[in-house]
Every structure is written in C-alpha cells, then in structure tokens.
Amino acid sequence: MAPTLNLKEPAGNQSSWETLLPDFPKGPLCKYRKKASFNWKEMAVLLDGEDIIQLKNRIFSALESDPLFAHRPGEDLCREKYQELTFLRCKRLFEYDFLTPQEIVENPLKMFNMVICIGMYDWSPCLQYFLHCGVFAGTILSASKRFADFVKQVYSMEIFGCFALTELSHGTNTKGIRTTATFDRNTQEFIINTPDFEAAKFWVGNMGKHATHAVVYAQLYTPDGQCQGLHSFIVQIRDTKTLLPVPGVMVGDIGKKLGQNGLDNGFATFHNVRIPKENILNIAGDVTAEGKYSSSIKDVKERFSAALGSLSTGRILITALSTTNLKLALSIAIRFSAARRQFGPTDDEEIPVLEYQTQQWRLLPYLAAAYALDYFSKSLFENFVEFYAGLLTKQRSQRQADLGREIHALSAASKPLSSWTAQQAAQECREACGGHGYLAMNRLGEIRNDNDPNCTYEGDNNVLLQQTSSYLMSWMNCIKDKAPFESPFGTINVLQDYHHILGWKFTAISVEDCMDSSVPLAAYKWLVCYLLRESDLKLSKEKQSGRSDFEAKNNCQVYYCRSLAIAFIEQTVLQRYHAYTHDPNIPSTLQPVLKNLSALYGLWSLSKHLAVLYQGGYASGEQAGRFIQDAILELCYRLKDDAVALVDVFAPPDFILNSPIGKASGEGL
C-alpha cells in the first residue's frame, strides 16, 4: 500500500485557529466564502499542522516587514541590479535563521516549507539560497565527515557555492560530460581541465556572479590513463575577498533568460587547475596516494547512480516548486473569477465568471491537481528523507539500493508531471483572466516564465520519463515468471496482480458511480498494466526485426514507454491521494470536499487516456466516455462554491502573492 503522511489532527480549538489564521478582509469574495461547505482554517491546520503554519507566518511577516524585500511597483530593475538585490536578499535569509539545525533534523518538512514560502515571494533568491545550502552543501555532506569544517563555512557564507554538472554540449546526457580530473601522484593533486569550449560548465546557478566554490563533475583519470567515470570535486573558482576568478578559471554570466533573471546562471572553463587530493567528494570512489582507484560500489552503473544521487533531491524539490507555482496561479485566477462579473441571464444582471461551466472546467481540475500533487510532493519528500538518512549513515543494504531506485523512478516522473501541469495551468489561468491576466503587474506571466525552466533543468522531462519506464520494464521478468516482488514504498506492488488486472473492465453504470476516485484508480491500474504489456511487446518486436537495443528502445517511446511512465506517475499520485482522502481519521467536516477533489483529479487525468482505454478494450460503447465527462462537469459544479475557500487554504498573504487581481478581498479590479 502507498505510504501516507501522518494525519495532522486539527489541534486546539477554533479560537487557536483564529489566532494562527486571521479572517480575510471584507469584499466581493465574502459571498463565496459564506457558501463554502467547510471551514478553510480547519483544512489549513489539517494539511500543515500548527507548527508549519506558525513557521509560514513568521517567514511571511519577516519578508513583509523588511525594506530589502519591498516591492517596487512600476519599476523595471535592470538584470544586474536585480541580481545584486537577489544576492543581498539571499544573504538576509541566512541572517534570519528561520530554522535551527535541530528543528530541521526533528522535522525536515519545515525546511521543505521554508524554501516554498521564500519561493512564493520570488524564486530567484529562493533558488540561490537552496542551491548554496541545499544542493551544494548537501552534496558535500553526503560525501565524508572530513568536509565538516568546510560545510561550516558554507552556512556562515564565508564561501558561496554552486553545483557544476551541465556542460555546453551535454546536459541531460550526464555520461557525456567531458571535463576531466587527472590525478597527479607526484603532487597529490587532481588537475581539473576543460578540453574545449563545448565542455565548458554552463547554466550553473550562482556561478554567474557570486559563487566562490563549485562542486564540479568531471571524468576521473588515474595515472595509468584509465577513466574511472564521473566523480565530483570541490573547486575554488573565485577569490573569496575580491570575487575575481582564481588562476586557470574563466568564469562569467551566460546572459538574460526567459525568467528567473535574479539568479545568476554562469559558465566556467578550467585550464589545468590543481586542487588537493582531499577535494574529491568520495561518494562513489576514491584514489589512494599511489594513484590506485578504489570503490566500495563494484557495479559501474550503481557507482554512476551514486555519483549523481543528489539529482533526485533537485527533482523532488522541483516537484514541490512546480506545485507551488500551480497554487499561485490558481489563487489569482480563481479569486479573479469569483469577483469578475460578465454577462448574465438578463441585461441588468451580470454574474461572476466562476458561475460559467467553461470557466469551472478550465480551472477547477487544476485546483484538484494542486491538492493531489501537494500531498504527493510532501509524501515523496518524506520518502527521500528515509533514503537520505541511509546515505548519511553509509548503509549498503539491499533495501537502501531499492529505496534509491524507487525514489529515482518516482522523481524522474513526478518532475515532468508537476512542471507540465503547472505550465499548462499558468497559461490557462492567464487566459482565464482575460486582458487583466496579460498585465505584468498581475504576475501570471512571471509565474509562467519562472516555472518554464522546471520542465528542463535537472533533466529534460521527456528524457526523464524514459528512466521511469525503464524501471517499470525491469520488472517484466518477475511478472512473466510469476516470481514474488515488491518495492519499499509499494509503488510497483500494483504489478503483483498484473495478469488479473489485465482482465478488468470499466464497470460503472451511471455518472454517480464515477463520483469516487476508486473508479479512475481502478482504470489507472489497468492502464499501467496494459501499457507495460504493450511496451514490452513493442520492444520485443523491434529487437526481433533486427534492430539494435538502442534503436529498439528509441522506437518504443511515443505511445508506449512515454505513455507508460506518465500513466504510472498519475496512478501513483492518485493512489496516495485516494488513500489519504478516504482515511477514516479525516474529520467528517472536511472529507466530502477532499473526496470530490480526489475524484475530479482522477477522472480529469484519466480523460486524457480515453483513447487507450477504448483501444485496449477496458471501455466499450459510448456510455463509459460519457459518464467520465459528465462526472468531471458535475464535480466541477459541486466544487464551484468551495473554490475560493480551497485557494484560501494555500494562498499566501497579499504582499507575497503580489497580484492586484488576486487580492484576498477580491477588490483588486
């Protein structure tokens, strides 16, 4: 069974919620807030718990009270000024020290929520902060205790870090990285070298202007001329006092981007830069003083995965960042739709555009997706915490290896799902707000553009999906042999009933039958098994026709492996959210609306696969498709009066949201 987060009982009584979550100002949105079927404050306490809400309030209040974070309406900062301001804001975040190390250890979700809160204000300082103390420092921490003093300098900002993996000619194909690190046993140093400009480190966040040190990924060469594969090294790139490049390093900013221009993405080349032997991050392997390579991980593929283990951290974070962008866009568009009046049954009466079926159908499935993906991203983060604890304690058990494989497969698909969903939603929200949505001051364009790179960095979405489908295909031998198998988090356990599930059919006989997420969940289980079977058959046919493994795999992506990976991650998200929303411990005052969200997310996502459901024989006749479509529209209608309260649960304060048409009062028009 899929893991579920610990249910947070709405602690205290209603008076404690009032202190934590003050009422919204009076305005046009009051009408919808009064119609809501649930208390939004009770929902907020259930989903986050009082501790996290207090943390959010503390962060939001600090940013709003600090002149350094003041908004400058109508002022277009040039990129250089914006980058300078971003760095000052990043430094201030360290000064605030919102969380103690002890708090982070006791509840890692607090760190997760802190990053999201800062990102709601502006992703540039948020990402600069996280790249430095999360990705850069996290990679070093997972290597060896010998870097403990170095990490102290990271957190005191005596040094500023970046994560240098991508090169000009190789991004997603990390095996093709061409920067070299050659060990010189005479001086006990590694020589870092860029063979040509195509091998320059590129797109590296924080590298453009501010980073003094980098975790540099390079092919490790031992004195015998053997390449030992990709490894990471700590390399100083700038003087810590002057910020001038150190000898042998050429480093700079790559230029203006479509979004996130406060973050200084940079490039660097290395001309025989020497670093101490101790600067290798010995996660995957190490070199002796005599120049002999050693690794506790004998399998080359596993060693490569260990070297790149920190990428899963980034993909899990991007899943959460994208979900946050989804929430921001919806907070603006749904509040606008509830306040904006156009047309009506008579010439004298205009009604809110949220009352129109088309507007509900355009926005409310994305609202359901926001709730489902939010739950999933938190549960995936908790899965990762378990895996990371094993990394830090140097566990080498089979379970630890299985945890790594499953987390990798999940994060490689959740990043595409969440980033694409947020990107499509941001555009839909922009259009749903008409001309007002196109005004820069209302922030939907910024949200869309800042979310855009989530579809590309830490692995191109379409390429990442191949890693998930490969993971699923790897279980086919167990399935065919009917051998027992399971995964630590249970996400592939659905395949245990593969042969039985392939015989399932769509059994709903009315629209009302479809109003629970168990219906789309059953369909998704069949869909995953069917697409796995079809992908396996397609691959076998390609190989039988004489194609190489490379060609065969390439010819199995569209309509097969790609669809399989997407269906699998949608099924996993729905499985976890269905289990959560149907938990008997959910307060009866909140369960009906949560079940509606779960059903809507499941049916809406499933509707994109209707052709395959018919093609594979799961559904037949016109009724099945009609029931699903009608159920989606009915659920949109049922959730319409709850929509404003549902965004109130996750919308940040007006200062943070920074959108006139998204103001909590509804008076931004």
Side-chain angles (χ1 to χ4, degrees), residues 655-669:
F655 171 79
I656 300 293
L657 188 58
N658 193 28
S659 172
I661 62 169
K663 285 177 72 172
S665 65
E667 290 184 330
L669 290 179

Side-chain angles (χ1 to χ4, degrees), residues 263-311:
L263 182 65
D264 55 317
N265 292 81
F267 69 90
T269 60
F270 305 93
H271 181 65
N272 296 328
V273 175
R274 290 178 173 269
I275 61 170
K277 174 184 178 295
E278 292 73 30
N279 280 27
I280 183 173
L281 296 176
N282 51 349
I283 302 165
D286 211 336
V287 177
T288 66
E290 294 75 33
K292 299 290 184 188
Y293 181 77
S294 65
S295 175
S296 58
I297 309 169
K298 301 307 174 193
D299 184 80
V300 176
K301 283 187 177 178
E302 280 188 36
R303 199 183 304 155
F304 180 74
S305 297
L308 293 172
S310 54
L311 289 180

Side-chain angles (χ1 to χ4, degrees), residues 206-221:
N206 289 355
M207 183 178 267
K209 298 279 179 68
H210 302 111
T212 61
H213 291 70
V215 167
V216 175
Y217 280 80
Q219 302 292 350
L220 169 57
Y221 282 85

Side-chain angles (χ1 to χ4, degrees), residues 239-388:
D239 184 278
T240 54
K241 298 286 191 291
T242 65
L243 289 187
L244 291 172
V246 300
V249 176
M250 180 169 73
V251 61
D253 190 276
I254 64 170
K256 189 175 182 180
K257 310 172 298 264
L258 295 180
Q260 294 184 12
N261 279 300
L263 182 65
D264 55 317
N265 292 81
F267 69 90
T269 60
F270 305 93
H271 181 65
N272 296 328
V273 175
R274 290 178 173 269
I275 61 170
K277 174 184 178 295
E278 292 73 30
N279 280 27
I280 183 173
L281 296 176
N282 51 349
I283 302 165
D286 211 336
V287 177
T288 66
E290 294 75 33
K292 299 290 184 188
Y293 181 77
S294 65
S295 175
S296 58
I297 309 169
K298 301 307 174 193
D299 184 80
V300 176
K301 283 187 177 178
E302 280 188 36
R303 199 183 304 155
F304 180 74
S305 297
L308 293 172
S310 54
L311 289 180
S312 285
T313 321
R315 290 166 191 157
I316 290 164
L317 181 75
I318 292 169
T319 301
L321 302 190
S322 300
T323 303
T324 303
N325 283 326
L326 179 59
K327 293 178 184 177
L328 292 172
L330 286 164
S331 298
I332 296 165
I334 286 175
R335 284 175 172 176
F336 173 85
S337 298
R340 177 74 164 177
R341 292 173 176 269
Q342 293 287 285
F343 307 107
T346 68
D347 290 342
D348 299 328
E349 182 190 358
E350 289 191 306
I351 61 173
V353 294
L354 187 56
E355 295 298 320
Y356 292 100
Q357 185 186 72
T358 307
Q359 195 81 343
Q360 295 163 22
W361 172 76
R362 292 170 75 185
L363 297 178
L364 300 190
Y366 285 115
L367 179 59
Y371 270 78
L373 287 169
D374 180 63
Y375 180 79
F376 178 78
S377 69
K378 288 173 182 171
S379 69
L380 182 60
F381 178 77
E382 293 209 337
N383 294 157
F384 178 75
V385 168
E386 181 183 342
F387 169 68
Y388 192 66

Side-chain angles (χ1 to χ4, degrees), residues 24 32-33 36-41 43-44 47 327 330-331 334-335 354 363-371 374 577 590 592-598 600 635-636 638-652:
F24 291 108
Y32 278 99
R33 289 186 175 123
S37 68
F38 68 98
N39 183 329
W40 73 272
K41 298 179 183 184
M43 181 75 82
L47 298 184
K327 293 178 184 177
L330 286 164
S331 298
I334 286 175
R335 284 175 172 176
L354 187 56
L363 297 178
L364 300 190
Y366 285 115
L367 179 59
Y371 270 78
D374 180 63
Y577 198 56
L590 302 178
V593 68
L594 288 172
K595 283 185 173 181
N596 284 341
L597 289 167
S598 184
L600 179 56
L635 285 162
C636 285
R638 291 186 187 183
L639 285 164
K640 177 249 305 178
D641 288 343
D642 285 328
V644 170
L646 285 166
V647 299
D648 286 345
V649 170
F650 56 62

Side-chain angles (χ1 to χ4, degrees), residues 23-30 33-34 664-667:
D23 289 335
F24 291 108
K26 296 284 188 286
L29 297 182
C30 285
R33 289 186 175 123
K34 285 173 184 170
S665 65
E667 290 184 330

